Amino acid sequence: MTQYIIYHSFLLGATIKCPFSPLCYKKTESATIYTCEWETESESMKNATYELFYSRSNSAASRTSLGSSRKSYICVQDNTVLNKVLVDIWVVTYMGNESCQSLNTTVTLSERVKYEAPQHMSMARSSSNLTLSWDNKKDAVIEVKFRRLEETSETWTCSKPVFVCTAMVTLENLQNVSVYQLQVRQMSKHVKHPLWSDWTPILDVPTEIPNPPEVNWTVEDFNNGTRLLKLTWGTPPYPVSMQVNYNLSLHIWPCLLKRKNFTIVTTTVFSVYVTYSAVSGDIIAFNKVGKSSPTHILVPAKHISFPCKSWPNDRLIPLKYAHGFMKSCLEWYKSTDGETRPEKVNRSKLNGTVKKKLKHVRKKMDDYVRYYYLVHKQTDGKPQSTETCLMYKKEGAPSKAPDHFTAPILNVTTNSAMLHWKPIPVPDQRGFLTHYEICYTRRSQNNESQFESGKCHKSFASKTEYLVQNLTPGSIYNIHLAGATAAGSGPTTTIEITTKPLPQSVIGWIIAGIIAILITVCLFIIKRHKKKIFPPIPRPVLVESVNYRARNQSMHEKEEVHELQLYDNCSQDPNPEEATVLEVSETYECEDTDEKCLGDSSTPVSDPLSPDYKAQVLRLETPDSSKGEIDCLVNMMMYRNGLVFDMKAYSTEDVGIPL
C-alpha cells in the first residue's frame, strides 16, 4: 500500500472554510507510502475533522474514503488503483453539523515525487568559488539562490537549475571577502511530474580562513609535579571571525602515544593540567566553509639543572605503582640539548619500585650521555610527574672547550676585562659541569716570548661571563678557559688581550702627586727636627752712638754679653793674666725676654753701668796712639751659651763696636 499526504487551502464560507485541492506525492521513486498534506488555520479550524476521498476519474464509481484525521495530513498506503490509474482526490472538512468539500485534484500518484530539502549541507570556499554538498545518494536537479549578507534587502539571485549526479554543486565568481546567504532545493529527474522540494533554511556562508591561529602559552607550576597549561590565541578579524570554532589535539599523558582531542572549542582560551614532560599538539581554526592550516604547539619539558628531584609523599609516590600505562609509567630519553624532547621516547611500565626499574633501564644507556627520566602517575584525576631526574650512566671530562670565547674591546679597561662565552653543548659536556676554570698570565716586558706566572679562578657552571680584575695597564695577557666536571677539566680555549694604557694626563697627575707628597714629608721632618739640624745663632749688636741707636729704634732684639775681654796682641808677654782685661759681670734684661743685653756707659769701664742700661752703649776708651797700636787691641765677648766672638778695634773714636 502507498501512503499519501494531502494539503489544502481554505476559502471563506458562511460558517466553515473549505480547503483547496490537496497535494499528494511520495518522497522517493521507490517509496510505497504516499503523503497528502493540506493547509489549515490552527486558531479557527482547530476543532475541525478532515476526511480524504478519492474516485477514479471519468468513472461513475462511488467515492472511497482513505481515512480521517484532525491533523493537516494523512498517510495513505499504496494500492493498485491509486498507483496506476488517474484518480480524483479531495478533502471534506467537518466542524459541528457543517461540512465543506475542497476542489478535486486529478493525478496519477506514481508520477508525483517530491524530495526532501537537502540535509546536512556542507560548504567549502576556495578563491572565488563555493562548493556545496549534502547527504543524498541520488541524482537530482538543483537550484540555488543567494545574496550578499550586506544586501539582505535586495532580491535573491537564483542560479540556473543544474542536474547533478552527485549531491554537490559549485558556485563561481563570488567575492572573496564577502559573506553570503543562500538556500537550496532539489527536484527529481526520473518521474513525469516531479515537485520541487522545500527550500533549505537560510544558510550563512562566511569567508575562508587564510591564516592559522597564533597561539601563546603559559604554564603555572604548582611545584608538586603538575603544571597548568594555558593556551590563548587571537580572534581573526571580521568577516573571517564569523562562526569560527577550534579543534585541539594535545598529547598531555606521556604514558600513551595517543593524543587527546578537544573538538569544537568556541573560546580563545583553553587550560589543561599537564605533567613535567613535554606537551605537543596542534590547533586548527574552522568554520562552515573550511579550516586553516594547523598550528603546531610544543611546550618543552620543565628544565631542571639539578640532578634529581622528587616529592616524597607516600600518597603521591607509593612503593609499588599501579600496572598499566593508564595509571603510571617511567619515561626516559636522551637529553640532546637539555631542552627539547626527542621524537623517540622510551616508556616502561612500573611493575615494581622505581629503583628496581632504573637498574634495568641503566643497562640500555650509553656512557657519557645525559638522560632525562620522569616518573608519571595519575593523582586525583590529574597527571603528575612524581620524580624528575637528570642522570649519567658514567661521567667524563668535557670533550670541547666553550664556544665563542671573546673579550670585546669595549669590555677591556686599564685594569680589568669582562669575558663572555657560550656554554658547552650538552652532548660535549659528558657529565655535569661543576665550574669553569679561568686562568691568565702576563707577558714579560723583558722577554716578549715568555709569560710570568699567572692566576686561576673558578666561575659557577651556570655563569657564562666573568670579570678579570687587578690587571696591569698597557700589558698583554693570555686568558685560558675550560669547563670541568667531577671527572676533570676539558680542553681550553685561549684568547690574547691587551689592557688599555693609562692616559698621559693621568700619568702627569700621578707624578705631580708623588712629588707633592715627598715635599710635604720632607718639610714635616725639617720642621719637627729644626733645632737639631739648624741650631739658633745669636745676633749681638753694639750700637755706634746714641744717634745711631736712635736711627735704629726698630731693632729690639739684643743679646746678653756675659763676659767681655780685651787683649793686647802687641804685647810680647804671652801670659794673658798680665793683659789688660775689662770684665763686665753684671747682666741686664733686654726688652726681649729670651735675650740679654749689655748697657752703654760713658764712664770708665770699671764703673758699673748706669740704671738706664737700655740706652747705654759700651764704649772703649783708648789712648791716642798710632794706627799700629790700635791694631793691637783685640776684644772678645763671651756668652752664656759658650759662643765667643773675637774682634779688633779699628778706631779710637767715640764709637761703639757692633758685635
Side-chain angles (χ1 to χ4, degrees), residues 33-53:
I33 298 177
Y34 290 84
T35 302
C36 296
E37 298 177 340
W38 58 88
E39 297 179 359
T40 181
E41 294 182 4
S42 58
E43 295 297 330
S44 60
M45 303 294 292
K46 61 182 180 180
N47 295 325
T49 301
Y50 306 97
E51 186 174 6
L52 185 64
F53 294 93

Side-chain angles (χ1 to χ4, degrees), residues 184-231:
V184 182
R185 65 179 182 177
Q186 61 182 350
M187 183 176 63
S188 174
K189 181 72 175 179
H190 304 287
V191 294
K192 187 175 182 180
H193 300 286
L195 301 175
W196 282 107
S197 69
D198 295 334
W199 289 103
T200 60
I202 295 177
L203 303 175
D204 292 331
V205 183
T207 60
E208 60 181 335
I209 304 174
N211 301 315
E214 296 182 2
V215 181
N216 297 317
W217 58 266
T218 58
V219 289
E220 181 182 357
D221 191 355
F222 297 114
N223 294 320
N224 63 352
T226 301
R227 299 182 294 175
L228 179 63
L229 172 62
K230 184 177 181 180
L231 303 175

Side-chain angles (χ1 to χ4, degrees), residues 341-391:
R341 187 180 73 165
E343 295 182 1
K344 183 180 179 181
V345 177
N346 303 288
R347 298 176 179 85
S348 301
K349 290 183 179 180
L350 287 172
N351 50 8
T353 62
V354 176
K355 183 177 180 180
K356 180 180 178 181
K357 178 58 66 174
L358 285 175
K359 184 177 180 181
H360 175 72
V361 168
R362 286 176 65 91
K363 298 178 181 179
K364 302 179 182 180
M365 295 181 176
D366 299 329
D367 293 339
Y368 315 123
V369 176
R370 180 177 295 184
Y371 285 87
Y372 191 11
Y373 82 80
L374 305 95
V375 178
H376 304 298
K377 182 178 180 290
Q378 291 280 357
T379 303
D380 298 333
K382 299 178 182 178
Q384 182 185 36
S385 299
T386 55
E387 292 184 34
T388 59
C389 189
L390 294 172
M391 63 175 297

